[in-house]
Amino acid sequence: LRAADAFHAQFNRWPGTMDDDVEADVPLLKQCLGNVLGELRAHTTAPLAVKDDVVFEVCRYGGGEIHTVASVVGGVGAQEAIKVITGQFVPLNNTFVYKGLNGTGLTAEF
């Protein structure tokens, strides 16, 4: 996503916004991704790699937004904030993971 943001900053549009741009934007996004990974490598020793399929999917996605996932996660966040502020009920413990493919949620304690 940082590479997509860098692409937007450089070209003033999201990668793959138009259907005709998807194939042409893949190499440009890879270049932006290389720059972002280069910056991240300066701060970590972990190996950083991204598959070409992922880059293509980001271009095919075209800067779209998944409104349903954003609304569910925002609603859960708001509900938890209200629990903390009012002191009623018990907030979620540690991590909440939402799987948008089938609409399920999971709380995990690490």
Side-chain angles (χ1 to χ4, degrees), residues 76-93:
V76 170
Q79 176 180 330
E80 295 307 307
I82 290 171
K83 286 180 186 178
V84 170
I85 292 168
T86 62
Q88 296 179 346
F89 305 108
V90 179
L92 293 174
N93 190 6

Side-chain angles (χ1 to χ4, degrees), residues 8-61:
H8 186 269
Q10 185 174 353
F11 299 105
N12 206 21
R13 64 181 176 84
W14 294 106
T17 303
M18 305 298 284
D19 289 339
D20 300 338
D21 295 339
V22 173
E23 294 294 330
D25 285 350
V26 170
L28 299 174
L29 184 60
K30 283 183 184 179
Q31 180 184 3
C32 292
L33 178 64
N35 295 340
V36 169
L37 289 178
E39 293 172 10
L40 291 176
R41 283 189 182 102
H43 302 291
T44 183
T45 57
L48 301 172
V50 177
K51 295 180 181 179
D52 289 343
D53 295 345
V54 174
V55 176
F56 178 77
E57 285 300 314
V58 169
C59 280
R60 190 178 68 82
Y61 180 65

